[in-house]
Amino acid sequence: MLLMSLITMITLSLSLLIMMLSSILSKKTTSDREKNSPFECGFDPKSKSRIPFSIRFFLIAVIFLIFDVEIALMLPMILILSISNIKIWFILSLYFILILLMGLYYEWKFGALNWL
């Protein structure tokens, strides 16, 4: 037990010594504005934060997320094809795809997919 605590103390003190030496000897003399600022998805964080944001871009992103989740829901349908009743599987798959197509038509009809 004494040997274990001695090894722990030596390891901690050696680690602390190395961290202190590296912080003292490091070259942090140059300060770059871009490197010191946080990354915010391409937006300049030094400018005002209330810049106008395109609502069309937001709608396209939401539509992408919805269809991405729907694709993730459709993938297990292929796996259960071999263990399920083919008629029920076909009706449920057709119903699910029909709902997706109706949603896509609705978004297309009301101009959510038009960028201009």
Side-chain angles (χ1 to χ4, degrees):
M1 185 71 172
L2 184 62
L3 182 64
M4 183 80 131
S5 62
L6 182 66
I7 291 173
T8 305
M9 291 298 289
I10 291 173
T11 305
L12 287 176
S13 61
L14 187 62
S15 299
L16 185 63
L17 179 71
I18 291 173
M19 285 192 302
M20 288 174 59
L21 280 174
S22 69
S23 67
I24 291 170
L25 299 175
S26 67
K27 292 183 179 182
K28 283 196 168 181
T29 57
T30 59
S31 177
D32 188 16
R33 176 180 173 242
E34 294 295 327
K35 288 184 181 178
N36 290 334
S37 66
F39 180 71
E40 295 184 7
C41 298
F43 295 110
D44 188 14
K46 301 297 182 189
S47 65
K48 66 179 191 175
S49 61
R50 300 289 180 200
I51 59 174
F53 188 73
S54 173
I55 195 70
R56 293 281 186 192
F57 176 76
F58 179 74
L59 284 174
I60 295 294
V62 169
I63 290 169
F64 170 75
L65 286 176
I66 290 170
F67 279 99
D68 193 40
V69 169
E70 290 166 351
I71 292 294
L73 290 174
M74 288 177 68
L75 284 176
M77 294 173 97
I78 298 168
L79 296 175
I80 64 167
L81 176 62
S82 62
I83 60 172
S84 64
N85 186 354
I86 190 72
K87 190 184 293 186
I88 294 173
W89 180 88
F90 182 72
I91 291 171
L92 287 176
S93 299
L94 191 64
Y95 185 68
F96 188 73
I97 292 172
L98 185 66
I99 289 173
L100 293 179
L101 289 175
M102 285 175 24
L104 180 64
Y105 175 71
Y106 180 81
E107 291 166 356
W108 191 1
K109 181 180 177 187
F110 287 104
L113 300 177
N114 292 337
W115 190 256
L116 299 175

